[in-house]
Amino acid sequence: MDRYDVIEGRQPVIEFLKAGHPVNKVLIAKGNTHRALQQITALAKEQGAAVQEVSKEQLDRMSSTGNHQGVIAQIAAVEYAELDDLLSAPRDPEWDPFLLVLDGLQDPHNLGSILRSAEAARVSGVIIPKRRAVGVTPVVAKVSAGALSYVPVARVVNIARTIEQLKEAGFWVVGADMDGESCYSQNLKGPIALVIGSEGEGLSRLVKENCDFLTRIPMLGQINSLNAGVAAAVLMFEVVRQRTLDR
């Protein structure tokens, strides 16, 4: 029997369909006439995907987020990108390659939030480890609000080895760590691979040692760290700020 993953929520499903990704079936809450659900039905039919009306109770049972908003799409199990795909992608002469590396992130809400910020910051790909880290789940897809449709995610066996490959490909590898210098005083232009550590633990020792340099967000309050998703967003948009400052 084929195995399917699901995407829940109106905006994530709309973005997934608009991006042209294959959908097996779209399940819509019976009697719900919300305009977004009508749009989803039209998009699904354009792609030849089956649309089925089911009870809200059935959607509740299928939902892993508890917030399906009246729609769940069944999709083929998530296909991850390959690292080589990210490294060999055509380069935009006006926008240097920008990758995000996540070193052992555990919380699916953080990964979903980071993907959403990454899409807005024009990150060309996200790299995560295959083991001891969260993968792309229905919760991640929901929280990403459709960004998963536009930002490829690659899984690798060894983050430290991947960093070496990124360096060989011409990237500056920048690790987010409190031992680094202020991100506002550093040059974050050029091909960048930004490395974000896990919740609570931060960067692993070997990953930290392999980064070209470390960066930190200046903290003015009593708390000395930010949520991983927030920290990643601040640093991504500092890269964007520096790249667009003179435009």
Side-chain angles (χ1 to χ4, degrees):
M1 180 177 179
D2 291 337
R3 181 172 73 85
Y4 293 106
D5 287 339
V6 299
I7 290 182
E8 307 179 27
R10 296 165 190 160
Q11 197 60 35
V13 172
I14 286 173
E15 295 299 340
F16 198 85
L17 288 165
K18 286 171 62 177
H21 297 305
V23 173
N24 176 58
K25 182 186 293 186
V26 176
L27 305 175
I28 300 282
K30 191 177 298 183
N32 192 324
T33 58
H34 193 281
R35 182 179 299 176
L37 298 184
Q38 295 176 3
Q39 181 184 3
I40 288 169
T41 298
L43 287 169
K45 288 182 176 178
E46 284 178 12
Q47 291 194 17
V51 178
Q52 180 180 350
E53 287 194 349
V54 299
S55 68
K56 178 181 177 297
E57 291 70 26
Q58 182 173 339
L59 292 178
D60 290 342
R61 289 193 296 271
M62 294 178 62
S63 175
S64 59
T65 68
N67 187 26
H68 53 72
Q69 299 179 310
V71 60
I72 291 179
Q74 290 183 337
I75 65 172
V78 172
E79 291 187 12
Y80 292 94
E82 297 293 333
L83 178 61
D84 287 345
D85 296 334
L86 302 185
L87 298 181
S88 63
R91 297 199 172 189
D92 184 339
E94 297 185 0
W95 191 262
D96 286 321
F98 186 11
L99 296 175
L100 196 62
V101 182
L102 305 180
D103 181 24
L105 210 67
Q106 301 293 323
D107 187 342
H109 291 88
N110 276 335
L111 179 54
S113 172
I114 287 171
L115 285 169
R116 186 171 185 173
S117 298
E119 195 282 328
R122 203 173 170 185
V123 169
S124 49
V126 175
I127 299 167
I128 63 175
K130 286 186 176 180
R131 298 184 179 87
R132 295 185 292 278
V134 66
V136 176
T137 68
V139 173
V140 171
K142 176 71 170 65
V143 176
S144 78
L148 185 59
S149 301
Y150 304 103
V151 182
V153 178
R155 289 200 301 178
V156 297
V157 173
N158 187 298
I159 291 292
R161 172 58 190 141
T162 297
I163 286 175
E164 293 303 318
Q165 290 178 261
L166 292 171
K167 290 179 180 180
E168 292 167 5
F171 284 83
W172 286 103
V173 180
V174 185
D177 188 88
M178 290 304 295
D179 289 339
E181 296 181 7
S182 167
C183 61
Y184 304 127
S185 64
Q186 293 174 314
N187 182 350
L188 298 177
K189 297 179 181 179
I192 288 286
L194 177 63
V195 189
I196 305 295
S198 64
E199 305 91 346
E201 301 297 326
L203 299 177
S204 60
R205 180 187 59 81
L206 193 56
V207 166
K208 182 175 176 178
E209 291 175 355
N210 283 353
C211 290
D212 288 310
F213 60 92
L214 303 176
T215 189
R216 66 176 174 85
I217 302 165
M219 307 290 291
L220 304 181
Q222 299 303 310
I223 299 173
N224 63 3
S225 65
L226 294 172
N227 167 277
V230 174
V234 171
L235 291 169
M236 281 187 276
F237 280 96
E238 175 57 18
V239 173
V240 171
R241 186 192 70 83
Q242 292 191 21
R243 289 185 174 192
T244 59
L245 191 60
D246 300 324
R247 293 187 179 184

